[in-house]
């Protein structure tokens, strides 16, 4: 059975700011990475280790996981074991505006910090189990639009996560290039030069500050960009070209290594809308 058959993506046009991933009975492991969205997840079965800046934490059935955008993390099952989980990805700009309305702010916050990233609480488990269901109708999308930001607003405060490494000023020129030109051809030497460092010095400095090498960071940006384009229906070859991959096969290899599914499977969302129950 191909690994992608263990993973399904669900979207609904009435809630374009949300995407739900359902992974069942998988052994797939993931490299450290970061998402552009806020993530709300629940473990349905099995055990895993959740690595994040304040971790690691052991998670098991009924554990709730919460992650801010751009926080480097990974969550992998115990060696040789299978696990099942659901993860909802929430567009950051949409959530910032929704929370601002709830808090009565005229200007949305630039960032939100979650009070905790790993929770074992029966009431929260029940709520997240209900939230992390495939959206089956416009009415369900409207309910999620109301309920999700109200809940997250009660768990967050305005500001960046205090436990996360942020790019120091000496890396700012390179960060600006990667974030604005991720689809172009970028070399380590070019990035090192704009920071007035040697290539080896730049790589060491970058990894110490960001938790991943410049190459991995750029790859992560490209894959996140490809995800967004594919979710909007862009053809695979065009998405690969737009995000700076050598070709469609290159994007496919990188995407599958990060998401345990092919870009085509990711783009072609499941038409089934099952009710998922937490064990």
């Amino acid at each position: 059975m191909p690994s992608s058959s263990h993973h399904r993506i669900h979207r609904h046009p009435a809630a374009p700011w949300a995407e739900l991933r359902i992974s069942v009975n998988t052994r797939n492991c993931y490299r450290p990475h970061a998402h552009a969205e806020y993530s709300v997840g629940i473990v349905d079965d099995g055990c895993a280790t959740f690595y994040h800046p304040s971790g690691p934490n052991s998670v098991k059935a009924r554990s709730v996981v919460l992650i801010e955008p751009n926080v480097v993390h990974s969550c992998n099952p115990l060696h040789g074991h299978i696990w099942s989980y659901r993860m909802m990805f929430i567009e950051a700009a949409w959530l910032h505006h929704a929370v601002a309305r709830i808090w009565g702010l005229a200007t949305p916050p630039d960032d939100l910090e979650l009070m905790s990233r790993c929770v074992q609480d029966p009431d929260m488990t029940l709520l997240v189990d209900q939230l992390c269901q495939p959206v089956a109708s416009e009415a369900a999308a409207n309910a999620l639009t109301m309920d999700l930001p109200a809940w997250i607003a009660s768990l967050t405060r305005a500001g960046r996560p205090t436990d996360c490494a942020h790019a120091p000023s000496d890396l700012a020129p390179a960060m600006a290039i990667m974030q604005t030109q991720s689809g172009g051809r970028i070399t380590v030497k070019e990035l090192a030069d704009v920071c007035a460092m040697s290539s080896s010095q730049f790589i060491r400095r970058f990894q110490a500050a960001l938790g991943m090498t410049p190459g991995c960071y750029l790859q992560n940006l490209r894959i996140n960009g490809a995800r967004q384009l594919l979710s909007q229906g862009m053809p695979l070859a065009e998405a690969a070209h737009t995000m700076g991959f050598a070709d469609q096969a290159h994007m496919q290899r990188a995407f599958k290594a990060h998401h345990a599914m092919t870009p085509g499977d990711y783009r072609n969302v499941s038409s089934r809308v099952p009710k998922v129950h937490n064990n």
Side-chain angles (χ1 to χ4, degrees), residues 35 37-43 50-55 57 59 62-75 86-90 95 112-121 124-125 127-129 131-132 148 151-157 161 163-164:
H35 301 290
E37 306 88 0
Y38 289 88
S39 309
V40 175
I42 185 169
V43 180
F50 174 32
Y51 297 95
H52 60 96
S54 292
N57 292 104
V59 294
R62 305 184 68 80
S63 294
V64 169
V65 170
L66 307 162
I67 313 167
E68 301 96 335
N70 305 314
V71 171
V72 178
H73 66 281
S74 63
C75 202
R86 284 168 281 155
M87 186 71 75
M88 178 174 287
F89 301 99
I90 307 148
L95 184 61
L112 295 171
E113 180 180 22
L114 293 157
M115 302 304 183
S116 178
R117 295 202 185 95
C118 186
V119 182
Q120 288 281 155
D121 176 78
M124 187 175 291
T125 297
L127 177 61
V128 175
D129 177 41
L131 292 172
C132 289
L148 183 66
W151 172 64
I152 290 182
S154 71
L155 301 174
T156 60
R157 58 191 172 198
D163 64 350
C164 289

Side-chain angles (χ1 to χ4, degrees), residues 130-182:
Q130 295 168 346
L131 292 172
C132 289
Q133 296 287 344
V135 175
S137 65
E138 188 170 340
N142 291 338
L144 187 65
T145 300
M146 297 291 292
D147 296 342
L148 183 66
W151 172 64
I152 290 182
S154 71
L155 301 174
T156 60
R157 58 191 172 198
R160 292 182 174 182
T162 54
D163 64 350
C164 289
H166 298 292
S169 59
D170 59 348
L171 295 178
M175 298 290 292
I177 290 174
M178 286 190 281
Q179 291 169 0
T180 60
Q181 303 176 36
S182 58

Side-chain angles (χ1 to χ4, degrees), residues 180-198:
T180 60
Q181 303 176 36
S182 58
R185 294 183 63 84
I186 302 173
T187 66
V188 168
K189 185 179 186 308
E190 175 188 359
L191 297 173
D193 286 347
V194 298
C195 295
M197 300 180 191
S198 67

